[in-house]
Amino acid sequence: MKKHTIVALLQDRPGVLSRVIGLIRRRGYNIESLAVGHSETAGVSRLTLVVESEDVEQVVKQLYRLIEVIKVSDVTDDPTVEREMTMIKLHAPPAARHEIISMCSVFGARIVDVGSNTMIIEMTGTPGKVENFIEVVRPYGIKEMMRTGRIAMVRGARGHNASEYVEPATNGVAVPALN
Amino acid sequence: MTKPLTGAQIMCEALIREGVEVMFGIPGGAIMPFYYAMWDYRDRLRHVLCRHEQGAGHAAEGYARATGKIGVCIGTSGPGATNLVTPIADAMMDSTPLLAITGQVGSHVLGKDAFQETDITGITMPITKHNYLVKNVDELPYVFKEAIHIATTGRPGPVLIDITKDAMQKTTVPNWDIKLNLPGYKPTYQGNRRQIREAIKLLISAKKPLIIAGHGIIMAGAHRELQEFAERLRIPVITTLHGIGAIPENHPLAIGMPGMHGWVHVNRAIQECDVLFNIGGRFDDRVTGKASTFAPHARIIHVDIDPSEIGKNVRVDVPIVGDARLVLQALLEDLPPPSELAELHTHASDWMEHIREMQDKHQGKQQYKNRAAMANMSLPPHDVYEALSRTLNARGNYRVVTDVGQHQMWAAQLIDWNHGPRTHITSGGAGTMGFAVPAALGVAIAYPNETVWAIVGDGGFQMTNQEMATIVQEGLKNVKVAVINNGYLGMVRQWQELFEHKRYSGTPLSGPNFAKLAEAYGWKGLTVERSEDVQAAIDEAHATDGPVLIDFRVEREVNVFPMVPQNKSIGEMILSESQA
Ligand SMILES: Cc1ncc(C[n+]2csc(CCOP(=O)(O)OP(=O)(O)O)c2C)c(N)n1
Ligand SMILES: [Mg+2]
C-alpha cells in the first residue's frame, strides 16, 4: 500500500484532535505518523498525517466530513520539505563519547544533555535521515527514544495560508472560542 | 432584548427562534433547569413525555423524517443520554436531522465520575454529524444556532448538545446577533455544470439506461423534477427502500425496489443496463450485493450531496456533488429538445418492454402472493399487506412507518406506494428494531389529520411498545399499529432456515396477548387469525376514533422472497426455499 502525506488545516475547537483520531481508527486507516500544532493564523491548527491507504481520496473525503476540517491536501507527489525530530538518550560512557560526538557532527545532530553515563542527542532531519542516524547510534545502546510525528511543507509559493479560509473576528459579535 | 435570561431560558428561546415546536424527552437531575424554564414556554414549545429516551429519539426521528424539519429529543445525563445513543446512530445512518439535547453534571465536577456523569460527547462522536459540550452560558445562543444549521443543511444528520447543569442555571444577556464561524463546513448544492453535461451525454447515448432514486430525492424534495426528467428521457426508475415515494409505483416508468429483497426484474435490469444514474442513493451493500459484481456493464453517474459517498462502494464514471433537486433542475435545463431524443426514446421503449417481460416472467407482486405454498395457510402475511395496500390506496391521507425484519421487507414489496414522498418511513441504514411505534408517535404529532400506521414485528414491538402510553397521554387518535405476529424473530429465523440448517437458535419468541396489552394501554385491541377477517379489522381500525392495534397472527414460517444471499451478486437471486 502506498504511503501518503496529508496536510490539513483544522479549526481549533475542543476535541478536534480526538475527532480526527477517532475517524482514522473507525475507518480502519493505518497511520504511520501524526503531528499537529498551531498554524500561522490564530484559531487554526495545521496537521500532518502520514497514512497508508489504497484509496487516499476516501481518507481525504472522510476528513472533510469533520466540521472543523477546513482544507485537506495530499502532498505526497508535491515537492515538499519534510522533517521529523528525535531525542535519543544514549548509553555513553566516557570512552565512547568522542566517537559519538563525531558521529553527531556528521549527521548534524546536537548533544543537549550529558550525564555520567548518558547523553541526550537531538536530531532533526528528513524521516530517512533520522532513521539512518538511529541505526548508526543503536550499537552504543539506546536507553530511551522519542520521535515527533513528521511535518511537511510544500515548497515555493504553493500551499495554503490558513487566513485565506478564516474570516477575521466578526463585527464585534460573540463568536465564542468554544473552549 | 437586554433582559438577562438563564441558560435554560436561552435554550428555549433559541429553539423557538429556529422554528422548533415540539420536543420529545424525559427529565432528570442534570436537565431539570431546562424543564423548569420550559414551563414558561409550554404554549410555544410542546414537550412530549416519552416512556424511554430511545422512544423519544425515534419519535423525534419520525417527526423529522415525515416533515423534513429538525426533530428534537431530550435526555438527562448518564443513562438518559446513553439511552439516546441508538436513535442517534439510527439518524446518522439515515441522514435524519436530529437535535439531541442532554443535561450534563455541573462543570465543577465534570471529569470526576460524578453521579450520572457519562462522557456522552465522547460516546457519540462517531455517530453524530457534530456534537458540543457547553459549559459556559454565553455560548448557548451560538451553539444552538450552529447545531441546528449543521443538522439540517448539506447531508442532514444528528447533532448532540451536552450542557452542564450550571450553564443552564447561570444568567446572561443573550446575544442573538450571530454570525456562524464555520470555515470548514460549506456544503456543495449546485452540481458541476461540466459533469452535468457529461451525464446528459452518457444518458442520451445509452441503450439501456436506468435511474436509481434514493433517499436524497425525498430529502431534497426532488420528486417532481425526478419524474419530469425520467419522463423526458423515458428512463425506467428504480426506488430504493428509502427512495420509496420518489415516484408513484403506478407510474409507467416505475419498476420497483432493487437489492437483497428487491424484485428479480429490477436486479436483472441493473446487471444488464449500460448507464446507471443514481440520484441520492448511497450504493448500500443491501442494494449492491457483492459490489465488485454490481452493474458490470454500466457507466455509472452518481449524484450525492456528500462527496465521501461518491466512489466509496462502487466505481463511478461521472461524479456529481450536489443537492438532488438542484442537480435535476440543471439537468432538465440542459436537456436537448425532444427531436434530438428520438433515438433514445426508441431504445428506451425496447428496454422497458424487456424489463416488463422479465417482470411478468419472474414473480412480481401479483404472482408472488399467489404462491401455491400459501394456499392452505389460514393467514399468510401477504393477505394482510394486500388488504392494507388496497385500503390505504383507496383512502389516501396516510403515512406508514415500518420496523425491521420480514414485515418491513414485505411492506416495501407488497404495498403499492403511490402517494408520494415521506409516506413510507423506516429504519434503513441501521436497521433498528423498535423504531416503528415511537417513530409513528412522532409522525402522528406532525400530521394529526392523517392516519399513521406502524407495521411492526412481534419482536420489535416488544422493544418499544411502551410509547403506546405516550400516544394516549398526548391524545393522539390517528395511530394504528399492525403487529405482524409470527412468533419468531422472523428475519433471523429465515436466515437460519435457509443457510444455517434450521438451527432456530434464539429466534422462537412468545409475547403477551397484544390485543389485551393494547386494551390495558387504553387502545382498542383486535386479533386476527384468518384471512377472511383481515379487511374487517382494518376497516374497524379506520372507523375507530382512537388508537387501535391489530395483532395479525400470521403463518409462522414464511420467508421473504426474492432474496440475494449476503455477499452474492444481485444477479443470483433465490426465489424459494428449494433454491437456497
Ligand atoms: C435492535 C436490534 N436487535 C437485533 C436486530 C437483528 N434483527 C434483525 S431482524 C430481526 C428479527 C425481527 O423480528 P420481528 O420484530 O418479530 O420481525 P419479523 O422479522 O418477524 O417480521 C432481528 C432480531 C436488529 N435489527 N435490531
Ligand atoms: Mg416476528
Side-chain angles (χ1 to χ4, degrees), chain B residues 10 13 36 42 47 94 97 128 171 187 203 208 224 250 280 298 308 374 386 411 423 496 501 537-538:
Chain B
I10 292 170
E13 301 254 343
Y36 183 89
R42 62 189 187 278
H47 178 266
D94 283 346
T128 49
T171 55
L203 284 165
K208 299 173 171 185
R224 286 185 207 88
N250 54 8
S308 75
M374 290 183 196
E386 193 193 2
T423 54
Q496 290 171 332
H501 313 290
I538 292 171

Side-chain angles (χ1 to χ4, degrees), chain B residues 389-404:
Chain B
S389 181
R390 197 183 329 113
T391 316
L392 293 180
N393 275 295
R395 294 172 53 94
N397 212 30
Y398 64 84
R399 312 261 162 184
V400 176
V401 184
T402 65
D403 211 77
V404 174

Side-chain angles (χ1 to χ4, degrees), chain B residues 4 20 74 105 224-225 290 294 321 390 400 404 469 473 483 485 531 542:
Chain B
V20 172
I74 307 165
V105 300
R224 286 185 207 88
E225 287 81 359
K290 192 172 169 192
F294 179 76
V321 177
R390 197 183 329 113
V400 176
V404 174
Q473 185 170 349
V483 183
N485 182 358
S531 291
H542 279 128

Side-chain angles (χ1 to χ4, degrees), chain B residues 190 193 196 221 225-226 229 323-335:
Chain B
Q190 299 285 354
R193 211 78 201 194
I196 282 173
E225 287 81 359
L226 170 79
F229 184 75
D323 171 85
R325 180 147 182 237
L326 297 176
V327 170
L328 278 166
Q329 283 170 352
L331 282 162
L332 283 165
E333 276 168 29
D334 283 2
L335 276 190

Side-chain angles (χ1 to χ4, degrees), chain B residues 404-407 431-433 457-460 463 486 488-492 509:
Chain B
V404 174
Q406 292 185 306
H407 65 279
T432 305
M433 283 170 71
D458 47 328
M463 288 190 177
N486 53 12
Y488 278 112
L489 297 173
M491 186 56 93
V492 180
L509 173 74

